[in-house]
């Protein structure tokens, strides 16, 4: 037992939080620890593990004793990236501290042991700032490090430590041969290993995007996980040019051209599977910004239930996509899962007696048994020209990646009127808005009314982590934010995630869709023909049973799939 443990235990006894008999009992249990493969816990850790005392209670005693503030790291949702940039993960782990904020020449730092003045002095010399210590339980600090610095990033940290002491600066990346295919070899140069480690860590953490952003004084790396950007350990600024050049070589785009945006593609072979990355480079004030979209075929959920449809909505979708002709539109902003929904519909109806052709920009996932045509503007292969050619291939089902202009819309509508089922996407905020959007780009109302079968608007909400979900009772303000009635609340199962290693401490893992299904019947057909406004179409659809996205989100909250905060934030524009 360390001297600080002695102090903490004596303080707890003096304050009446612990008794000497409890300490003695814990000491006896520790003495019986005979596992040679693991170090025994400290006496304080043993008392906390046995629930004889609460870790936060001990931290409160220490904070009061030393006149320091007590902080709750479990309530921290967004870390201070400026403070985190001063303390690398390796230092945070070594000293078990977490940076909270930087204010002028002062760095606020969460610590577990106020008696460890040597560590505080060492960190003060490293960051060249005055340290203002705040007390937090050791377990909370470790959890915050994993949550905000990233899980299992020790390999990346070790590489960055190597670079920090001068390793890996001279790398001839221009001599690396690549044709868009990349594999990690033991003999690869340090820059190559570092780039691959960043990509592989993103894949392990289920990221959908990797963002490498050159800022004025640092080179920031962030992963988008379940729709939320998370900053990870960033490489030194001096490695920016070498890393960007390596990625551009891997993506088979010009490393000499730095003035215009470029797009490319990378294939990464891991030990388990092959991953495709769509690469975009964009010139900025401080260098080229690189964004890589991770396209994991194994991660694409192709079953309708996995998308988040409840049984009643799934029945409607199955009926719509089984129709012999017409148009079904999926609407929503970029990143709302429209392509995944369309692929799931195609997978559901992909039978040997049907010919399916898609035109996409670009083809993100290759589906077996489906003819997929990529758009190529450089040779005149636009959505419209590809769609014309596709119709001469006598398909039963056509998917157009996006309706962007009148020409594409008219060809798609004519295809639906001549016996084809057409699927496509539009960028509108809600489902009834798809009608207004088609009319705005020039499609005649009578063509819209006769061809459109349904419009499905969607957003993605994060799912509660299954490993740390716990039931709770929301307060009246939370219930009021989603207009949840007492009758609904009485039969609901409200859940939330407490945060665990499985979800990187966020309480969420994975995402589900929330949907607004605008189905066109004869009454709505007549209203579209008469060019009635979106508000009236929406009111009519609501009277016929259409649920808004917020109402569908409420159903998922009541079923314990997502949280009130998540649904409110995603459907903030929903007036209902």
């Amino acid at each position: 037992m360390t001297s600080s443990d002695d102090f903490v235990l004596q303080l707890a006894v003096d304050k009446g939080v612990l008794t000497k008999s409890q300490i003695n009992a814990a000491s006896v249990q520790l003495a019986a620890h005979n596992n040679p493969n693991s170090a025994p816990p400290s006496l304080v850790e043993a008392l906390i593990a046995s629930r004889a005392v609460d870790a936060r209670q001990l931290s409160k005693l220490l904070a009061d004793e030393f006149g320091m503030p007590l902080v709750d790291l479990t309530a921290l949702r967004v870390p201070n990236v400026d403070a985190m940039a001063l303390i690398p993960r390796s230092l945070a782990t070594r000293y078990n501290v977490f940076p909270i904020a930087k204010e002028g020449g002062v760095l606020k730092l969460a610590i577990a042991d106020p008696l460890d003045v040597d560590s505080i002095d060492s960190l003060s010399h490293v960051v060249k700032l005055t340290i203002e210590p705040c007390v937090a339980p050791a377990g909370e600090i470790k959890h915050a490090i994993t949550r905000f610095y990233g899980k299992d990033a020790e390999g990346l940290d070790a590489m960055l430590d190597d670079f920090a002491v001068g390793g890996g600066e001279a790398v001839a990346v221009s001599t690396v041969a690549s044709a868009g295919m990349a594999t990690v070899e033991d003999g690869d140069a340090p820059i190559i290993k570092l780039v691959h480690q960043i990509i592989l860590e993103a894949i392990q953490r289920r990221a959908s995007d990797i963002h490498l952003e050159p800022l004025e004084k640092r080179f920031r790396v962030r992963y988008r996980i379940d729709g939320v950007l998370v900053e990870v350990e960033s490489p030194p600024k001096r490695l920016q040019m070498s890393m960007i050049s390596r990625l551009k070589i891997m993506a088979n785009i010009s490393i000499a051209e730095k003035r215009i945006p470029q797009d490319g593609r990378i294939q990464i072979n891991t030990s388990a599977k092959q991953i495709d990355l769509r690469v975009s480079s964009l010139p900025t004030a401080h260098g080229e910004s690189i964004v890589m979209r991770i396209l994991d075929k194994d991660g694409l959920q192709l079953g309708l239930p996995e998308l988040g449809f409840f049984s009643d909505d799934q029945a409607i979708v199955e009926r719509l996509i089984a129709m012999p002709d017409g148009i079904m539109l999926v609407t929503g902003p970029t990143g709302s899962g429209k392509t995944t929904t369309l692929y799931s519909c195609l997978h559901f109806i992909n039978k040997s007696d049907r010919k399916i052709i898609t035109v996409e920009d670009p083809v993100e996932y290759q589906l077996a048994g489906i003819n997929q045509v990529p758009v190529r503007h450089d040779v005149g292969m636009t959505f419209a020209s590809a769609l014309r050619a596709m119709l001469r291939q006598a398909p039963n089902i056509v998917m157009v990646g996006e309706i962007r202009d009148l020409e594409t819309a008219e060809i798609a509508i004519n295809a639906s009127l001549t016996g084809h089922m057409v699927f496509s996407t539009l960028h509108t905020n809600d489902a009834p808005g798809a009608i207004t959007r088609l009319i705005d780009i020039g499609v005649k109302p009578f063509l819209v009314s006769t061809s459109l079968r349904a419009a499905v608007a969607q957003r993605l909400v994060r799912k509660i982590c299954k490993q740390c979900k716990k039931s709770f009772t929301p307060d009246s303000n939370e219930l009021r934010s989603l207009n949840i009635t007492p009758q609904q609340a009485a039969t609901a199962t409200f859940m939330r995630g407490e945060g665990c290693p499985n979800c990187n401490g966020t309480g969420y893992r994975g995402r589900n869709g929330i949907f607004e299904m605008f189905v066109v019947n004869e009454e709505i057909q007549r209203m579209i023909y008469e060019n009635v406004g979106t508000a009236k179409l929406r009111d009519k659809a609501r009277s016929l049973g259409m649920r808004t996205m917020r109402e569908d989100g409420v159903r998922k909250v009541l079923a314990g799939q997502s949280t009130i905060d998540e649904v409110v934030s995603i459907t903030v524009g929903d007036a209902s």
Side-chain angles (χ1 to χ4, degrees):
M1 185 168 64
T2 66
S3 58
S4 60
D5 282 347
D6 287 332
F7 179 85
V8 171
L9 294 176
Q10 186 59 52
L11 183 63
V13 171
D14 292 343
K15 298 294 184 180
V17 172
L18 277 172
T19 65
K20 289 189 176 181
S21 60
Q22 287 175 311
I23 296 173
N24 291 335
S27 297
V28 171
Q29 289 181 348
L30 275 182
H33 181 93
N34 58 4
N35 185 355
N37 297 320
S38 64
S42 70
L43 187 52
V44 171
E45 290 170 338
L47 286 162
I48 292 170
S50 66
R51 300 186 183 277
V53 67
D54 181 66
R56 176 155 285 278
Q57 199 173 13
L58 289 181
S59 295
K60 177 74 166 62
L61 292 178
L62 286 170
D64 293 343
E65 182 71 15
F66 289 94
M68 296 177 180
L70 179 72
V71 293
D72 183 4
L73 294 179
T74 61
L76 185 64
R77 293 288 173 262
V78 180
N80 187 303
V81 293
D82 293 332
M84 287 181 65
L86 295 169
I87 304 289
R89 180 192 167 112
S90 53
L91 285 181
T93 303
R94 185 185 310 162
Y95 294 108
N96 200 30
V97 297
F98 187 80
I100 299 172
K102 178 182 177 292
E103 298 173 358
V106 177
L107 176 65
K108 288 186 177 180
L109 204 63
I111 63 171
D113 185 2
L115 290 170
D116 189 6
V117 292
D118 290 340
S119 294
I120 297 172
D121 288 342
S122 298
L123 288 168
S124 179
H125 281 102
V126 169
V127 300
K128 295 181 173 56
L129 294 171
T130 301
I131 300 292
E132 181 181 316
C134 308
V135 182
E140 282 188 17
I141 294 174
K142 289 177 182 176
H143 192 189
I145 292 170
T146 299
R147 179 180 172 189
F148 295 113
Y149 281 101
K151 180 184 175 186
D152 298 332
E154 286 79 4
L156 180 56
D157 287 337
M159 285 189 190
L160 294 176
D161 285 345
D162 290 342
F163 283 116
V165 296
E169 279 193 69
V171 180
V173 294
S174 60
T175 65
V176 179
S178 173
M181 176 70 76
T183 56
V184 181
E185 300 293 345
D186 290 339
D188 281 348
I191 283 287
I192 299 173
K193 286 185 177 179
L194 177 58
V195 168
H196 277 275
Q197 187 65 36
I198 288 172
I199 295 172
L200 293 175
E201 186 194 344
I203 294 168
Q204 289 166 2
R205 296 181 63 184
R206 304 176 298 103
S208 59
D209 304 279
I210 305 171
H211 295 250
L212 292 93
E213 302 161 310
L215 306 179
E216 183 179 5
K217 295 182 179 178
R218 62 194 184 100
F219 187 40
R220 182 168 66 181
V221 177
R222 295 192 289 177
Y223 301 150
R224 189 181 296 279
I225 303 171
D226 293 334
V228 178
L229 281 170
V230 177
E231 185 164 352
V232 297
E233 185 86 7
S234 297
K237 176 74 172 174
R238 68 177 185 275
L239 302 181
Q240 174 181 313
M241 290 288 291
S242 298
M243 291 179 65
I244 289 174
S245 295
R246 168 61 185 167
L247 285 167
K248 291 172 75 173
I249 289 169
M250 291 168 67
N252 202 24
I253 57 181
S254 172
I255 62 172
E257 182 56 75
K258 298 180 176 66
R259 300 165 298 172
I260 60 173
Q262 297 186 82
D263 295 311
R265 209 174 181 100
I266 298 173
Q267 277 189 345
I268 290 285
N269 281 332
T270 68
S271 57
K273 55 189 173 182
Q274 181 176 298
I275 303 290
D276 289 338
L277 294 97
R278 199 172 72 203
V279 182
S280 169
S281 74
L282 180 70
T284 69
H286 303 292
E288 288 178 279
S289 172
I290 299 282
V291 175
M292 291 177 278
R293 178 79 180 272
I294 299 173
L295 307 175
D296 183 0
K297 298 172 189 174
D298 294 342
L300 186 66
Q301 297 175 328
L302 291 175
L304 291 177
E306 287 81 12
L307 295 177
F309 287 111
F310 282 125
S311 56
D312 53 349
D313 286 342
Q314 184 177 334
I316 295 173
V317 171
E318 289 179 4
R319 177 176 61 83
L320 289 169
I321 62 181
M323 288 183 172
D325 55 33
I327 293 181
M328 178 176 162
L329 295 174
V330 181
T331 75
T334 301
S336 61
K338 300 187 299 295
T339 301
T340 302
T341 298
L342 286 179
Y343 279 164
S344 299
C345 292
L346 293 180
H347 179 75
F348 185 81
I349 58 179
N350 184 16
K351 304 290 189 295
S352 59
D353 61 343
R354 295 172 179 170
K355 185 178 178 71
I356 303 175
I357 306 180
T358 73
V359 53
E360 305 168 60
D361 183 19
V363 175
E364 292 190 351
Y365 301 95
Q366 294 181 358
L367 302 179
I370 294 177
N371 301 280
Q372 295 174 269
V373 179
V375 167
R376 293 188 58 188
H377 295 284
D378 54 335
V379 294
M381 186 67 138
T382 62
F383 275 114
S385 61
L387 191 49
R388 279 197 202 92
M390 285 161 51
L391 295 178
R392 292 193 287 272
Q393 296 275 314
N396 302 101
I397 297 151
V398 171
M399 188 191 98
V400 184
E402 183 183 347
I403 293 179
R404 299 179 180 176
D405 51 44
L406 176 59
E407 186 180 13
T408 306
E410 286 182 334
I411 297 169
I413 286 174
N414 287 333
S416 72
L417 294 175
T418 53
H420 303 85
M421 186 65 198
V422 179
F423 297 96
S424 191
T425 67
L426 271 180
H427 287 284
T428 63
N429 291 327
D430 59 4
I435 287 92
T436 305
R437 173 69 179 145
L438 288 173
I439 293 172
D440 281 348
I441 63 176
V443 180
K444 300 292 190 292
F446 76 90
L447 289 175
V448 177
S449 67
T450 53
S451 60
L452 187 66
R453 297 290 176 261
V456 179
Q458 70 176 70
R459 300 289 189 277
L460 294 176
V461 295
R462 289 182 291 174
K463 295 189 293 185
I464 301 170
C465 175
K466 292 181 180 178
Q467 292 192 16
C468 64
K469 68 191 306 185
K470 293 277 180 67
S471 60
F472 81 107
T473 303
D475 59 36
S476 58
N477 289 331
E478 290 178 298
L479 295 175
R480 200 179 302 117
S481 66
L482 284 180
N483 295 324
I484 296 174
T485 65
Q487 293 79 14
Q488 289 175 312
T491 58
T493 306
F494 293 101
M495 308 291 284
R496 65 182 172 194
E498 294 193 331
C500 67
N502 182 56
C503 59
N504 288 325
T506 63
Y508 299 97
R509 185 178 174 91
R511 289 189 289 176
N512 258 351
I514 54 173
F515 304 95
E516 181 176 277
M517 307 192 65
F518 179 79
V519 180
V520 178
N521 62 9
E522 290 184 5
E523 214 171 340
I524 290 179
Q525 270 187 334
R526 187 173 64 252
M527 294 177 72
I528 296 172
Y529 180 78
E530 294 169 357
N531 203 7
V532 170
T534 302
K536 290 185 178 179
L537 285 171
R538 187 178 186 81
D539 291 341
K540 186 62 180 178
R542 294 291 305 281
S543 70
L544 294 172
M546 182 187 82
R547 274 184 295 268
T548 65
M549 282 179 283
R550 172 161 286 194
E551 289 169 342
D552 193 39
V554 168
R555 293 206 296 169
K556 289 175 171 59
V557 169
L558 298 177
Q561 296 180 7
S562 193
T563 63
I564 292 174
D565 290 344
E566 180 71 5
V567 172
V568 168
S569 65
I570 296 299
T571 62
V572 69
D574 198 330
S576 59

